[in-house]
Amino acid sequence: MLCLLPLLLVGIVAVRHWSVLAEGFGHLRAARWPWLLAAAGATCLTWVAAAVTRQGAVVERLPRLRLLATQFAAGAANHLLPTGLGASAVNLRFMAVCGVPLARSSAALALYLLAEGVARVGLLTALLLAFPGALRLGALLPEGALGPLLAVLGGAALLTAAALLLVRRLRSAVCSFLRTALGEARSVHTRPARALALWGGSLAFPALQAAGLAAVGQALGLPVPPAHMAVAYLAATVAVALVPTPGGIGSVEAALIVALVAAGGPVAIATAVVLAYRIITVWLPLLPGALTLGVLVRLKVI
């Protein structure tokens, strides 16, 4: 129910602003196809970057083609469960089939998520420093929303800390996992090739996603510089990371439109850009990804 609530809210907003959505769909007819093909190419490279990062998070050598196919299939699984749980489950199963123990594969998954998050926030910070006027950050949050948001985050942190202090079993499990995760991280970083794959792939993944959005913006003539579109994309994806919708459906679209408008884009064209981008990155690969997932399960690759 918590996962469906954001979708319901987005649906209500879409109905109330249907004229803007209809105008956005109308702009798609004027798209320049070479730029859309460039966006599709950047999307395909994100699966390569994800595979490189997954390999960098474990010491063992994983079979390359099966690892790449697993990342493609994980994208489809990601739309069944919220906040990346589908892709995580697929990758945990893949590493288990490859002989990686569960504790170490879980540690590798945590290392992957940490590296990807650090790279995304680091890239956003670097772009904001390079282009300080790229985004009007005040437009991203409704007036008076910052205080309640910080209060919710602070309350969640306090509850987590209290649970760790009061529940001994939970504290022991978390400490055991952290010891395994730190050991796995040290092992990975003693191998330069693995460390380069981990951090290089983590940086390339959001950069390619942002490049895909910038290419769609160029295709539809969005009057926003590509670097500013990249800043808007990274800011939006960081903002919706805490919203538990399957595959970010609904929440990502809304946040991207708000971010592109905050970067200086007209509402109708920004809506068209986001619709085209999500069609390329989510809806077109969904059926082939689901079929690939079924084949991998049938072949016992995962």
Side-chain angles (χ1 to χ4, degrees):
M1 290 176 66
L2 288 174
C3 298
L4 292 176
L5 181 59
L7 293 176
L8 177 61
L9 294 176
V10 170
I12 293 172
V13 173
V15 170
R16 292 182 61 185
H17 299 277
W18 179 250
S19 60
V20 175
L21 285 175
E23 188 176 354
F25 275 112
H27 281 285
L28 295 180
R29 292 193 295 268
R32 289 176 284 180
W33 286 100
W35 283 110
L36 294 181
L37 291 176
T43 299
C44 293
L45 288 176
T46 59
W47 300 319
V48 178
V52 170
T53 311
R54 299 281 184 187
Q55 175 61 86
V58 292
V59 175
E60 290 86 347
R61 179 177 290 277
L62 303 174
R64 295 179 181 177
L65 290 178
R66 282 185 281 171
L67 176 60
L68 181 59
T70 300
Q71 302 319 302
F72 182 54
N78 223 25
H79 294 86
L80 303 177
L81 295 172
T83 58
L85 292 179
S88 299
V90 168
N91 279 284
L92 279 176
R93 181 60 186 164
F94 173 70
M95 286 187 281
V97 172
C98 291
V100 182
L102 179 60
R104 290 186 54 240
S105 61
S106 300
L109 176 63
L111 182 58
Y112 168 86
L113 294 174
L114 176 63
E116 204 274 333
V118 169
R120 187 177 295 270
V121 174
L123 184 59
L124 173 60
T125 303
L127 287 175
L128 283 174
L129 291 174
F131 306 97
L135 200 64
R136 297 190 297 272
L137 294 176
L140 294 177
L141 286 174
E143 186 177 352
L146 183 59
L149 178 61
L150 292 177
V152 170
L153 293 177
L158 288 176
L159 286 175
T160 302
L164 290 174
L165 288 173
L166 297 175
V167 183
R168 185 176 179 181
R169 248 179 167 174
L170 178 61
R171 186 170 65 250
S172 299
V174 170
C175 289
S176 175
F177 175 77
L178 288 176
R179 283 193 296 269
T180 303
L182 289 173
E184 190 71 11
R186 282 194 297 267
S187 299
V188 164
H189 286 87
T190 57
R191 298 169 178 252
R194 290 290 187 270
L196 180 62
L198 175 65
W199 292 104
S202 296
L203 187 61
F205 185 73
L208 287 166
Q209 289 180 320
L213 180 67
V216 175
Q218 293 295 306
L220 290 166
L222 183 69
V224 176
H228 293 196
M229 282 189 265
V231 171
Y233 173 81
L234 293 169
T237 52
V238 168
V240 302
L242 299 177
V243 182
T245 55
I249 295 174
S251 57
V252 170
E253 285 85 352
L256 278 177
I257 292 171
V258 171
L260 289 176
V261 172
V267 176
I269 302 179
T271 302
V273 168
V274 172
L275 291 173
Y277 178 72
R278 293 292 278 175
I279 288 172
I280 292 171
T281 59
V282 174
W283 299 110
L284 287 180
L286 186 58
L287 181 58
L291 293 175
T292 303
L293 179 63
V295 170
L296 292 179
V297 171
R298 188 173 184 83
L299 296 177
K300 298 183 179 179
V301 173
I302 55 176

